[in-house]
Amino acid sequence: MERSLEKQKKWEQRTDLPLMLAAVAFFVAYALPVLKPEIPAFWVEVCDWAQIIIWAMFIIDYLVRFSLAPHRREFIVNNWFDLLIITLPMLRPLRLLRLLTVLRMFDRHAGNALRGKVTSYTIGTTLIVLVTAAIGILEIERKLPDSQIKDFSAALWWAITTVTTVGYGDTVPVSESGRFLAIALMIFGIALLGLVTGLLSSYLVEKVSETEDKTEYKILKQLEAQNQELKRLSEEVRYLREQLATAPTKE
Amino acid sequence: MERSLEKQKKWEQRTDLPLMLAAVAFFVAYALPVLKPEIPAFWVEVCDWAQIIIWAMFIIDYLVRFSLAPHRREFIVNNWFDLLIITLPMLRPLRLLRLLTVLRMFDRHAGNALRGKVTSYTIGTTLIVLVTAAIGILEIERKLPDSQIKDFSAALWWAITTVTTVGYGDTVPVSESGRFLAIALMIFGIALLGLVTGLLSSYLVEKVSETEDKTEYKILKQLEAQNQELKRLSEEVRYLREQLATAPTKE
Amino acid sequence: MERSLEKQKKWEQRTDLPLMLAAVAFFVAYALPVLKPEIPAFWVEVCDWAQIIIWAMFIIDYLVRFSLAPHRREFIVNNWFDLLIITLPMLRPLRLLRLLTVLRMFDRHAGNALRGKVTSYTIGTTLIVLVTAAIGILEIERKLPDSQIKDFSAALWWAITTVTTVGYGDTVPVSESGRFLAIALMIFGIALLGLVTGLLSSYLVEKVSETEDKTEYKILKQLEAQNQELKRLSEEVRYLREQLATAPTKE
Amino acid sequence: MERSLEKQKKWEQRTDLPLMLAAVAFFVAYALPVLKPEIPAFWVEVCDWAQIIIWAMFIIDYLVRFSLAPHRREFIVNNWFDLLIITLPMLRPLRLLRLLTVLRMFDRHAGNALRGKVTSYTIGTTLIVLVTAAIGILEIERKLPDSQIKDFSAALWWAITTVTTVGYGDTVPVSESGRFLAIALMIFGIALLGLVTGLLSSYLVEKVSETEDKTEYKILKQLEAQNQELKRLSEEVRYLREQLATAPTKE
């Protein structure tokens, strides 16, 4: 068991950077034919093959990690998202989210400040999710006759009006797959709203509790008073002891 | 009074599982003719009868619990939702929410973690509410000529755009009853937003207060220092006493 | 100064109930011709006169309170909303909000629980604001040719989709005054969202801090240990003193 | 280094008021031709020149502060927004946000109450942002044939429905630049929602923790009891010492 855990860590350390690069490459290979449909057919094919190869890499990585995992059931539960995007071809646009692994770089630069870290992650994740959703919806909806999403600009506009829950309704997905993507984006939007609010309100709660008088402050004052009393008492006892030490000699 | 409380508990323990199953059965009997309108008329009738029978069961359960309740006025107030969905035929789709009793199963598996429990309940409730709202709106709006909600997929899409408060406006209820359902869903959506935010911000408030220096931490440090001082003092006093115990013998 | 404050309180105590009733009467006189436009012209005129008389009452009450106020500038600042709805005829629908004074009744029934009180006020205020906005928008928009709000049901539907920030866009005010009302409702909606979230998250923060291990808990444990140590020390000192009291006699 | 920091402060103190006035003047020069397109061409030109001159002032101020800054890289990072609105002509409407410097006046009047300060800033910022967004979108969209935003009233209506995330969709930007502005407004809307919620929930968390029994309160009670015990102990020890002081004389 111990040894398999060690092997697992080694595997993850070695594959960390290559998989990050693979995620970036997958993003490019996916985005290019969607954003520039006028590129020669040869390059489209190259991108297709690149996607398939990188997808195979993701599968191999998953299988190796699975075989090395000490608790296999736990591994499947913890990596449900990886399993989902590897197996379901319908969720192919979500594979772009492998790009989120790039955010791990924040870990290296980040100090202790939890809130700063959460803020960085939130902004990074939001940007990647928005671009991913825009490219995904563009691929799905562009060729549909009654779609309003025909270029990247409209796609990004749709993604942002959705994630902020503004929802004008001027650009709306009309296909089943497009709606799936939209639902994922809405759930992310709700979580984003919660995070922004949570960050701001945790900040306010802390700042307010620092500046305003509170029970805690009274406790601190009481403790300081107690410390003084204790010191006085110690002094008294020390004096007592000295007296006692000299008393017998007096006698 | 004591005895009626005992009887009430016994009744609830005995009917817990059957009522859960009845709620699931009601859900199936309600959903089937709505989702599959092409099933033979015989099965539609079976479903209709099943709904009526289960509804009667709900009424009987309510009346028994009412007759056993020690404080009847309190009982009516606490079970206002049950009374509402039993009496008003207009709110029939809301009877599907009896399915929420299935979530009681979380209680058995859940540990101490309140937040984990609230998260489980929130996700479970949201899923049931969404499916319930989608089936309900589909039944109400499908046959209306100017409705945009003609199949389950559109109904679920409407439910999700509503609950997340995105509200594109591409699928909107047009009948009075449909709007009633929509209002219930919007109120749930507001509460859901509040819960998600509350969960995330309570988590952040806690994490931040753990990692960052705060008054509490200073208090803890003070207390630890004080404890050491107290122990030193105790030692001193014990020494004093020993001296005193031996002093008379010296004499 | 002291005496004018006393007079002010007396005036407010005496006019409290009559003004509440006047607010209810104003609501009825305003709502009736809007909700039932088919009532005879005579009753419409009665309602018009009732509104004017009650409006005059509000003005007189404002002027009396102003003349009794010890600090007049402060009074104007604190009662800016009263001044606004009394003077601007454009904001006439907002006069219905005088009905909110009825919520003062909660103060009598409410116990200590702040959260329960805030919840009651929030629900009460929301209901009154929604009905007020619906009646107001109906009066403003019903006669406009391109308006989608022609009956109370549509007006309430609009009010609820707006206050929850869902904003389908299927019913939208088209006149300047209607949009003014809508903006007031949206601001209320934002505050409502904040309140619901705040209530839920303050509840969660508290519950979580109660159930989970925290610095505070450690502090409490330390204090309990300290208390034991202190008692032991006291005992020791008492014994010491007894010894000392008997020692001289031994000698 | 020290000297340049001193110089920087001096520069900022001297330019504070002129830059505030310049921001107001820029606002007027920008808003006038947009809100009153019927003014004579001469005045339009005056406004154009005023804008260019004030823009040049902003650039000079930026360059002087840059040259005085002790850490230049830090300066660029901290003043990214200034650099952005100075350099990108596309973001010209955002220059109106320099008006936010007027809010610095709150600092003079504000007391200790952090929450009051945040509330003032939030309301002030929201008003300026809304008016800025309305004027900006009006300038961008008014001349477009398929735009629904043709006057200031419609522009403000759009801005408010967007910032509250209601998003009816009855007035929507149709140009690229308009959508850019809309996205900035939506991001502000999300932050506004978070702030309102944070303010309300920090208020509720504090109020509730004050009124309800909590661990902290128990700690305070324990400490008070302990202090009494300590005093009693001190008394005892003092008595002991007095006895000890008299004991030898007895002998």
Side-chain angles (χ1 to χ4, degrees), chain D residues 18-36:
Chain D
L19 281 177
M20 246 189 238
L21 293 176
V24 175
F26 186 86
F27 189 86
V28 173
Y30 188 109
L32 198 68
V34 176
L35 296 181
K36 298 258 169 219

Side-chain angles (χ1 to χ4, degrees), chain B residues 19-31:
Chain B
L19 282 176
M20 246 189 236
L21 294 176
V24 175
F26 185 86
F27 189 85
V28 172
Y30 188 109

Side-chain angles (χ1 to χ4, degrees), chain B residues 158 162 172 176 227 234 251, chain C residues 153 168 170 222 226 229 251:
Chain B
W158 163 81
T162 299
V172 168
E176 233 35 14
N227 267 351
S234 282
E251 205 182 347
Chain C
S153 153
Y168 285 131
D170 58 340
Q222 283 259 17
Q226 217 176 70
E229 184 75 19
E251 207 182 346

Side-chain angles (χ1 to χ4, degrees), chain A residues 29 32-33 39-49:
Chain A
L32 199 67
I39 54 167
F42 168 72
W43 285 109
V44 174
E45 212 149 294
V46 168
C47 287
D48 277 357
W49 277 104

Side-chain angles (χ1 to χ4, degrees), chain A residues 245 248-249 251, chain B residues 243 245-251:
Chain A
T249 57
E251 207 181 346
Chain B
Q243 283 251 329
T246 52
T249 58
K250 252 183 191 172
E251 205 182 347

